[in-house]
Amino acid sequence: MTSQKATLAGLLAILLWSTSVGIIRSVTEVLGALGGAAMIYTASALCLLLSGHRPHIRARSKIYLLVGGALFVSYEICFSLAIGMAENRIQAMELGMINYLWPCLTILFSLFINHQRSRIWLWPGIALSIAGILWVLKGDGEWAPALMWRNILTNPLAYGMALVAAVVWALYCNVSRRFGDGKSSVVLFFIAVSGLLWLQYLLNHAPVLVFSPRILLELLFIGASTASAYVAWDIGIQRGNMALLATASYFTPVLTTLMASVWLQVMPTLNFWQGVIMVTVGSLLSWLATRETAK
């Protein structure tokens, strides 16, 4: 596969990911945080297996399988459970925004893991992205640390898991880039995620799952789109233009907010949109720091 085709695959992954927050929230509202997440990743694993992907191990780097696999599984569990544990749909969108700290964190970690060089623009970009997340978390009132902290304390576990997810995914992108050797083990990772979630589901004596035609259609869509997105992303970050993909991924918060607001029928406030734009611009500044160095 050429670098251009790999980059296009990565761009497709970004578009598919933009649908995740809204649909994950919709599924988990009916099936519960654990049951919904387990069904989503089971559907994704089945879609990968039915499309011909196999969980190969022998030809994979041990570091990629062990370290990358642990990071991948941790991210998926933290992200899906955080969205499912949100107290309402607006909070689910806030948690999704925290997750989108990962683009600028990916570049930050690449300085140490992949020896990426950058310029001074990186630091204002990261600061602006963090400020955007804080702006989202402040809610509708005036910004004040006490008010923001009070908002976080309404569901500290979910907010903490969303932040951990952002850090872990940024690490996975860099580990996969360095040790993946152009090969993907996403299907193996999805099987591991679904297995762990079903184990948690059984141990927690969660309620019996009740399906409806709408839920089945949502599961089919998110299973196929999630499976396709992760395979495409692995191809993109291993063989494509990672700087371009990082740039495009910075617009994911905008796309996700638009799609989630339509799917969940929730209208974000002006403050929320301001935070989204700050995260996007901050991430673009971070990319600009690495792009100028490349020139």
Side-chain angles (χ1 to χ4, degrees), residues 1-11 116 176-177 181-183 231-246:
M1 177 175 288
T2 64
S3 176
Q4 291 83 357
K5 290 182 179 179
T7 302
L8 286 175
L11 294 175
Q116 172 72 52
S176 179
R177 175 77 175 187
D181 195 28
K183 300 173 182 177
V231 170
W233 183 250
D234 257 16
I235 292 172
I237 62 174
Q238 291 182 22
R239 304 180 185 179
N241 186 332
M242 191 170 182
L244 177 59
L245 290 176

Side-chain angles (χ1 to χ4, degrees), residues 121 191 230 255:
W121 289 107
I191 292 172
Y230 280 109
L255 291 173

Side-chain angles (χ1 to χ4, degrees), residues 8 38 85 126 144 151 179 185 199 216 236-237 244 258 262 274 281:
L8 286 175
M85 291 165 57
I126 293 175
N151 185 31
F179 301 106
S185 293
L199 179 62
L216 291 174
I237 62 174
L244 177 59
L258 284 172
V262 172
Q274 290 172 341
V281 174

Side-chain angles (χ1 to χ4, degrees), residues 103-121:
C104 64
L105 291 177
T106 298
I107 291 183
L108 176 63
F109 295 154
S110 72
L111 302 181
F112 310 101
I113 298 175
N114 290 309
H115 309 295
Q116 172 72 52
R117 301 184 66 182
S118 68
R119 293 190 177 181
I120 194 65
W121 289 107

Side-chain angles (χ1 to χ4, degrees), residues 136-269:
V136 168
L137 295 181
K138 79 181 183 65
D140 297 332
E142 296 294 327
W143 192 90
L147 292 177
M148 184 191 67
W149 185 244
R150 189 182 306 165
N151 185 31
I152 294 173
L153 288 179
T154 60
N155 199 345
L157 181 58
Y159 282 106
M161 292 177 74
L163 179 59
V164 169
V167 174
V168 167
W169 188 248
L171 288 171
Y172 171 78
C173 289
N174 282 284
V175 169
S176 179
R177 175 77 175 187
R178 182 165 183 180
F179 301 106
D181 195 28
K183 300 173 182 177
S184 173
S185 293
V186 170
V187 62
L188 180 64
F189 298 160
F190 267 100
I191 292 172
V193 172
S194 59
L196 286 173
L197 285 171
W198 281 119
L199 179 62
Q200 288 181 283
Y201 175 83
L202 294 173
L203 292 177
N204 283 274
H205 304 290
V208 177
L209 303 180
V210 179
F211 298 94
S212 66
R214 177 188 171 114
I215 289 299
L216 291 174
L217 288 174
E218 288 179 338
L219 284 171
L220 178 61
F221 174 80
I222 197 169
S225 65
T226 302
S228 302
Y230 280 109
V231 170
W233 183 250
D234 257 16
I235 292 172
I237 62 174
Q238 291 182 22
R239 304 180 185 179
N241 186 332
M242 191 170 182
L244 177 59
L245 290 176
T247 306
S249 70
Y250 302 148
F251 292 96
T252 311
V254 178
L255 291 173
T256 300
T257 302
L258 284 172
M259 293 186 179
S261 62
V262 172
W263 192 264
L264 299 176
Q265 299 180 345
V266 173
M267 182 59 67
T269 63

